[in-house]
Amino acid sequence: MCTAGVTQTGSAAFAACPLELAVYGDAESAAEIDFRPTGGSAVVTNTFKMVLDNSVVLDGIVMWTEGVARPHGSLMYKCPTGDVTGDELAACTVWEGVVYSADEKGNIALLPAEGVDAPKTLIFPDLGPSLQMSSAYGANGFSKVPWDVFSLKGCQE
């Protein structure tokens, strides 16, 4: 899985890649995450696509929770569009959880909103087991289960 128009890790542009243009991959090469600008949403702080084998694409969003603030991520598979109910949204959500980041020294932090340099590493706790139990996995979906940790691969141009 290689994204067209991606600057690889050796260039100067990579060092200053904004999170909303970052591309990440897992150690098993089972999945790639391509962040996208949110378009000024008041609620959604990050938007991304997770691309798995067999051309399976999961839609991802991050919204910060209230109270104890955390970046709550959701990955969805074949969700209906338009005016959807909470039950319909729950049925197509294949993973939910807090998204963490880590720097080159291994310091763990919460995923920031757009407008900052992309973190070196992202952590999606229990991603693999959740995806393996989802409707996106199996004979008609993806077959390689990604790990929970993704490393920065490049920056979309």
Side-chain angles (χ1 to χ4, degrees), residues 59-113:
D59 295 309
I61 61 167
V62 176
M63 298 185 294
W64 276 73
T65 59
E66 293 188 23
V68 178
R70 296 281 186 263
H72 182 82
S74 298
L75 278 168
M76 293 150 288
Y77 180 63
K78 293 186 176 180
C79 280
T81 57
D83 198 14
V84 298
T85 67
D87 288 340
E88 289 172 320
L89 193 56
C92 66
T93 300
V94 296
W95 176 85
E96 288 186 285
V98 175
V99 183
Y100 296 95
S101 65
D103 64 17
E104 59 281 340
K105 295 179 183 176
N107 297 314
I108 304 298
L110 299 171
L111 177 73

Side-chain angles (χ1 to χ4, degrees), residues 125-138:
D126 294 326
L127 175 68
S130 293
L131 291 184
Q132 194 167 22
M133 295 174 27
S134 76
S135 62
Y137 179 75

